[in-house]
Each structure stands twice: as structure tokens, then as C-alpha cells.
Amino acid sequence: MPIFLKELMTENDFIENFNNTTPLKKTFVLFSLKKESNSLWKVWGYGYNNPGKEHAEVLVLDAIKEYIAENQNCRKYKVTLFLSHSPCHECSARILSFLTSRNGIQMEIKASRPYFLNNEEERKGLWYLKKASIPVKMMDRFDYQKSFNLFVHPTKKFTPWLGLDEQSKKNLDEMNTIWKQEEEKEREEKLRKGIKTSYHCSVTDSHSFAGFPVPQISAQEVSKPDILLDPQSPIMEKTQLSGPETPQKLNYPTKGMGASRAVKRKLDFSKN
């Protein structure tokens, strides 16, 4: 499966897949899970979608929920996702289901590119994420620098590509426009039905997502991706995906999460 735990992404792959000025068919996710009161990551790595099968976000959620299921003593976690595209409506629903079935988990999502925001279904999925207090933020230069240091190289300075700032602002403006439009549409709909308008809700309030197909995912769900683990230090060993073979053609061995060496990364989101 195209998911890599406790491995750093190569610089070439980061630039190729997170450059917000170029189109991309795949979706990459850089992810980390940590206990709320701890600065050390418990699960981290990156993954990309399995063409025609699982979406990248679903693979990441499967990897995370496996760790959570094996560590029932801790109920409070923070999940951070850096995505090359904003979640599609299906992944938005899966994220909501993941959070509603697990109390005490906070999630932060930042995306390099918007995903088909002219599509009503995709816009609605993002809107329900925002209503659940997990809005998708479009990445700016600071976010690229932070994700680069956390998931690519801890000390190297990130070199922005041409047009990064302009495209980031355009993406941000587009997302803000969507929030306003969806809020106005919902207000008008509630006024027509004579319902008092409220735009803040908890992820545990299932009535807030009426009409939005949220699949149920339990902690006992058997779907588990095959995971490639890094036997060496993540800084010394990297998986090169931008070679002559495409990621879909690479044949990676499968290993269980428990076989991984306890490599920890520190996550600092003190700046916004």
C-alpha cells in the first residue's frame, strides 16, 4: 500500500506534489498523530492515493485508528494533515465519521490546492468540515516551510517556487468565498423552513450533517492497509518516489505497525 510510516519524503517529491502552481493527479498526505499533552509524535509519515481504490486520506485514517485501537488508555489526540489537495466530498465524510466515533480527537487540515471547488458536492463536503470546527486552511509560505522542515528536512531552508504567494492568496480567497456562499445558502434555506440559524456545531452532533452521507467507521473495522516501515533512522533513509518507476508500479514489502522501531518526531504548531 502507498503509505509510509516514520519516513521522510524526498525534497524532489515534496516540490513536485505540493507545488500549488502546477496540476497534479495524485493526492499526497503528510500526517502526524500525537497525544494532546505530548510534543512527540506517536504515528507519522506520508501517503498517497491508491489509484482506483483507497483515497490517501482513508489510508492515513486507517493507519491512525489502528494505533488508537491499540492504545485505549489515551483518549485525547491531535491529528495534523498537510494535503496536496483539499479533501473530496467522500473523504470529508470519512473524516467526519472518524471524528464523531472517537471523542477527544482534534484535527488540523491544511491543503496546497483546492479540489474541484466548482463542484457543488465537493463544496458541501468542505462546508460540513468547517461546521464541525475543522475547516480546511489553504497553505501559505509559512505552512510550506513548516511542513518541509517536519516531513522533508529538519534544518534545510525551504526555497519557494515562482508564484507560490500569489497562488496561495488566490486559493485562500476562493476558499473564503465558498464559506460565505455556503453560509448564505444555509441561512436562506433555514429561513424558508422557519428554523433559527446556527453556524456552530460539534462533530458529535449528527443532526448537523443531515443530508450529508457520512459512512460509519468503527474502531473494529477490519480494513487495514499494508504498511512499509522504515528500519533505519528517518533522516538517513528516505523513500524515493520520483525515480523512473511510477509509485503505482513499485512493489513494496508489507510489515505490521508493531515491528517499527520507536522513532519519534517533535511537532510544534505554536505559530499559526
Side-chain angles (χ1 to χ4, degrees):
M1 287 290 186
I3 185 167
F4 306 92
L5 290 182
K6 300 182 179 179
E7 293 192 24
L8 294 176
M9 179 183 263
T10 66
E11 182 174 355
N12 287 340
D13 288 320
F14 179 84
I15 300 300
E16 176 184 350
N17 292 285
F18 281 84
N19 187 332
N20 61 356
T21 65
T22 60
L24 182 69
K25 293 183 179 180
K26 297 191 295 292
T27 294
F28 272 73
V29 181
L30 309 173
F31 65 93
S32 69
L33 168 75
K34 75 181 186 72
K35 293 181 180 179
E36 189 178 56
S37 59
N38 199 326
S39 61
L40 296 178
W41 297 353
K42 297 301 180 181
V43 180
W44 65 276
Y46 68 94
Y48 57 91
N49 59 300
N50 194 356
K53 297 182 181 179
E54 301 92 344
H55 291 197
E57 295 92 326
V58 174
L59 290 173
V60 168
L61 292 180
D62 281 344
I64 289 174
K65 77 178 183 183
E66 183 173 345
Y67 175 86
I68 293 175
E70 294 174 353
N71 295 270
Q72 298 285 350
N73 58 322
C74 181
R75 295 291 182 179
K76 294 185 178 181
Y77 293 99
K78 180 173 181 180
V79 179
T80 301
L81 305 178
F82 290 95
L83 292 82
S84 60
H85 286 102
S86 59
C88 69
H89 71 282
E90 293 181 8
C91 289
S92 295
R94 293 294 293 266
I95 290 171
L96 283 172
S97 179
F98 177 85
L99 294 176
T100 55
S101 62
R102 295 167 179 83
N103 294 328
I105 299 181
Q106 298 180 352
M107 182 173 289
E108 180 179 30
I109 302 176
K110 298 184 179 183
S112 177
R113 306 172 184 81
Y115 179 77
F116 293 118
L117 295 188
N118 58 333
N119 182 286
E120 179 66 23
E121 201 170 24
E122 308 302 347
R123 293 160 63 105
K124 186 64 68 176
L126 294 176
W127 171 240
Y128 280 114
L129 286 177
K130 180 175 175 60
K131 287 184 64 180
S133 300
I134 43 175
V136 179
K137 182 198 174 199
M138 303 311 298
M139 294 172 67
D140 56 24
R141 184 185 293 228
F142 174 76
D143 296 316
Y144 286 110
Q145 177 70 67
K146 181 161 54 178
S147 59
F148 182 85
N149 289 146
L150 290 172
F151 293 95
V152 180
H153 198 292
T155 59
K156 188 173 182 179
K157 184 178 180 180
F158 167 70
T159 303
W161 47 79
L162 184 65
L164 182 153
D165 293 327
E166 293 80 1
Q167 188 62 46
S168 292
K169 185 179 185 306
K170 180 180 178 181
N171 293 341
L172 176 62
D173 291 343
E174 187 173 6
M175 189 66 73
N176 286 335
T177 298
I178 286 177
W179 299 148
K180 293 178 182 178
Q181 291 175 346
E182 292 299 321
E183 181 176 331
E184 183 62 29
K185 286 164 58 178
E186 185 165 300
R187 179 185 292 111
E188 292 175 355
E189 180 66 21
K190 289 186 176 182
L191 287 175
R192 282 197 296 268
K193 295 180 178 180
I195 302 175
K196 185 178 179 180
T197 304
S198 176
Y199 296 104
H200 299 282
C201 60
S202 167
V203 293
T204 59
D205 183 5
S206 59
H207 298 292
S208 303
F209 311 114
F212 188 60
V214 180
Q216 295 303 310
I217 310 173
S218 67
Q220 290 75 33
E221 188 175 10
V222 297
S223 173
K224 297 179 181 179
D226 296 329
I227 299 172
L228 177 65
L229 301 179
D230 179 17
Q232 305 295 331
S233 168
I235 298 180
M236 300 301 296
E237 294 292 328
K238 300 181 181 180
T239 299
Q240 176 66 43
L241 299 183
S242 55
E245 289 187 298
T246 63
Q248 294 89 333
K249 293 181 181 179
L250 296 180
N251 182 20
Y252 297 111
T254 59
K255 299 180 182 179
M257 291 184 67
S260 157
R261 187 168 63 85
V263 181
K264 297 181 179 180
R265 296 270 290 156
K266 185 170 182 179
L267 178 62
D268 180 13
F269 283 96
S270 59
K271 298 181 180 179
N272 292 316

